[in-house]
Amino acid sequence: MSSVYITTPLFYVNAEPHLGSTYTMVITDTLARYYRAQGAETFYLTGTDEHGDKIAQVAAEAKLAEKEFTDQVSAAFRRIWDDCGITYDHFIRTTDAHHVQFVQEILHRVYNAGDIYFGKYGGLYCVGCERFYTEKELRDGKCPDHLTVPKLIEEENYFFRMGKYQDRLRAHIESHADFIRPEGYRNEVLAMLREPIGDLCISRPKSRLTWGIGIPFDERYVTYVWFDALLNYVSALKSRGEATFEKFWPEAEHFIGKDIVKPHGVFWPTMLMAAGLPLYKHLNVHGFWTVEGQKMSKSLGNTVAPLEVKAQIGMDAFRYFLLRESVFGQDPDFRQESLVSRYNTDLANNLGNFVSRALAMQQKYFAGIVQPLDADWPAEDRELRDKFLQTEKDIDGFMHDLQFHRALESVMAALDHANRYIVQMAPFTMIKDPTKQARVGAVLHQLLEVVRTLARLLAPFLPDTVGELRGLLALEPAALTKPWGEGFAPGHKINPPKNLFPRIDTDAKK
Ligand code: ME8
């Protein structure tokens, strides 16, 4: 793969970043870092969704003009993602002038092609979802997501001939098994396509809502927020020039939560068809986090703020938890107890301890000076190397399949192997025998190769820790990619150990 385009949903500015949006950002950031390290040209997009009823309402509650309100919240999103070390390449706002212009251009194009018409419509509208519901989609007459009774709205509007593209979309999904993944969400969309999808109402009269992108061929209307927001995935690339669009659009990997499968799996591809644009490559759908077993919500007061978790445990440990504790596509649960126990078991006891041990012995026995490897490469040394090289290959497969938890699990399994190697070689006993000094030097050199390789394998997952490991090994970034056995010239001096992940004492808290 020579280029990859990774996108997140554009988050509504009616709330600040929380556990859910942070998860979407952490998985996409991990992938972007992974692909960059693989040498792929990567474009990683995120941003904020700023128009529509919902935003107009919260701006009014905050007693601010819409633009002023969205400027503030969008800036807060950006600041928080920056504080979390998220390496997006472009941050788009749906209020950006180039985006507004692009949406209007597409509306013109689709209108001129005859796929937008004017008509009367009455329907049940959920403000929370910003969309009309059919009776069938409601649960006990309520929106299944917001548990509110939708409003009956009747008005004249513009409609997109979405139904016209239904068969083409179904054929595409049927012939591209991984267009929407995991499979459960693909089946969900195929089920939607078994019923008539109808046409999509894509305007709102200004008498009801002014906060939106004007419909270019009728000044009495603004554009429906989804028709506006979805186009960001193309408008952002186009804002960087046609060549950027040509390079990245065919490689588009959309990442979304399971709440917005319909807009991304049905509205968006049919819009692309009508606009004469190629479809995205994959729609990757992740599950929804609960908190201590409960749905996360402002009213329950159980939202988790990313910077608070970062302050508690560090960003890398938070990333580790999110990636290790969840299975992509399924609904994970956030528990304080599991956060701390993952940290203690994997990061403090396994990773942190291993690094401290290897570096402490190097310091104690050889004053930090790296000794030559064993010219004979005994079986144990080869097995250790092979275990890590195999792990690296496995990780490639896991990342390709979005199995982040398995990638990390395999790193921990390789570390277990390295710990057994220490026990088996027992350098702390051998050092007492003056004839075995050279072997001890070689064993410790192997351990440093483990630490160096860990720094490479963990780089997409734990970026801050990797910087620390590199500092401890006194290596330049380029040295991390050298083959096993070539990372350190004998005579190279490494630094004394540091406790990277101090154990969290759970008893003390009780
Ligand atoms: O839907 N667990 O924005 P939004 C996991 N503006 N992820 C969660 C989550 C949870 N509990 N809660 C939210 C919108 N998310 C539209 C998108 S795209 C052109 C427009 C994440 O602010 C997840 O990624 O409501 C979900 O899809 C997204 O936040 C919804 O964000």
Side-chain angles (χ1 to χ4, degrees), residues 181-387:
R181 55 188 186 182
E183 204 185 351
Y185 299 108
R186 172 180 189 252
N187 293 338
E188 205 175 284
V189 173
L190 282 172
M192 290 172 197
L193 295 175
R194 250 172 250 131
E195 307 278 326
I197 55 173
D199 292 342
L200 183 66
C201 177
I202 57 153
S203 65
R204 299 291 179 262
K206 280 189 183 161
S207 55
R208 186 155 71 78
L209 173 76
T210 52
W211 183 237
I213 298 181
I215 294 274
F217 38 82
D218 191 334
E219 62 183 18
R220 297 169 304 160
Y221 288 88
V222 294
T223 311
Y224 169 47
V225 67
W226 274 106
F227 198 94
D228 152 2
L230 286 162
L231 284 164
N232 92 86
Y233 300 130
V234 172
S235 76
L237 290 179
K238 293 236 175 194
S239 76
R240 296 291 192 98
E242 211 47 36
T244 305
F245 169 73
E246 296 288 335
K247 181 186 295 171
F248 290 106
W249 180 244
E251 302 302 332
E253 297 283 344
H254 293 319
F255 283 81
I256 60 163
K258 66 176 185 180
D259 54 330
I260 50 178
V261 167
K262 187 170 183 181
H264 284 81
V266 179
F267 303 175
W268 181 221
T270 52
M271 283 167 63
L272 286 165
M273 287 172 182
L277 292 165
L279 299 189
Y280 52 79
K281 192 168 180 183
H282 292 129
L283 178 63
N284 306 290
V285 185
H286 67 70
F288 251 46
W289 283 82
T290 49
V291 175
E292 311 281 344
Q294 281 189 302
K295 190 175 166 172
M296 196 173 31
S297 82
K298 262 192 191 165
S299 49
L300 280 177
N302 64 348
T303 50
V304 174
L307 294 182
E308 280 173 25
V309 185
K310 178 184 168 187
Q312 181 202 348
I313 204 159
M315 195 60 208
D316 273 13
F318 186 24
R319 287 171 75 102
Y320 185 84
F321 173 81
L322 293 176
L323 295 162
R324 177 64 189 83
E325 196 74 10
S326 60
V327 175
F328 188 86
Q330 296 181 16
D331 293 338
D333 188 32
F334 181 91
R335 286 181 188 271
Q336 265 301 323
E337 206 185 313
S338 353
L339 178 69
V340 172
S341 103
R342 274 277 171 224
Y343 174 94
N344 277 341
T345 313
D346 292 359
L347 298 179
N349 293 358
N350 207 357
L351 177 62
N353 242 347
F354 178 87
V355 174
S356 299
R357 249 176 127 184
L359 270 59
M361 287 192 280
Q362 191 66 49
Q363 205 60 37
K364 189 166 164 202
Y365 305 152
F366 300 103
I369 309 287
V370 181
Q371 305 299 301
L373 286 168
D374 204 317
D376 294 341
W377 277 85
E380 294 85 354
D381 294 14
R382 270 182 281 128
E383 279 165 22
L384 181 69
R385 175 195 61 193
D386 294 348
K387 177 73 185 172

Side-chain angles (χ1 to χ4, degrees), residues 6-11 25 44-48 81 86 88-93 232:
I6 297 171
T7 73
T8 75
L10 296 197
F11 301 107
M25 295 310 282
Y44 172 24
L45 174 72
T46 191
T48 42
W81 299 147
I86 303 295
Y88 57 84
D89 294 301
H90 189 102
F91 190 99
I92 188 171
R93 301 180 56 186
N232 92 86

Side-chain angles (χ1 to χ4, degrees), residues 111-225:
Y111 184 62
N112 291 339
D115 279 346
I116 290 176
Y117 62 89
F118 194 61
K120 202 178 187 125
Y121 188 74
L124 296 161
Y125 188 77
C126 171
V127 174
C129 296
E130 304 262 16
R131 76 169 175 99
F132 284 99
Y133 270 89
T134 59
E135 294 277 1
K136 227 172 139 184
E137 286 177 307
L138 300 176
R139 202 178 301 148
D140 299 328
K142 291 179 180 166
C143 159
D145 272 350
H146 295 90
L147 306 178
T148 48
V149 179
K151 276 200 269 186
L152 182 67
I153 288 182
E154 190 157 296
E155 59 197 19
E156 282 190 309
N157 268 309
Y158 284 93
F159 292 83
F160 162 48
R161 288 188 206 282
M162 188 162 75
K164 179 176 157 186
Y165 296 95
Q166 171 156 1
D167 292 343
R168 212 172 119 192
L169 176 59
R170 190 172 47 214
H172 184 84
I173 298 176
E174 276 165 357
S175 61
H176 294 78
D178 61 357
F179 181 63
I180 300 173
R181 55 188 186 182
E183 204 185 351
Y185 299 108
R186 172 180 189 252
N187 293 338
E188 205 175 284
V189 173
L190 282 172
M192 290 172 197
L193 295 175
R194 250 172 250 131
E195 307 278 326
I197 55 173
D199 292 342
L200 183 66
C201 177
I202 57 153
S203 65
R204 299 291 179 262
K206 280 189 183 161
S207 55
R208 186 155 71 78
L209 173 76
T210 52
W211 183 237
I213 298 181
I215 294 274
F217 38 82
D218 191 334
E219 62 183 18
R220 297 169 304 160
Y221 288 88
V222 294
T223 311
Y224 169 47
V225 67

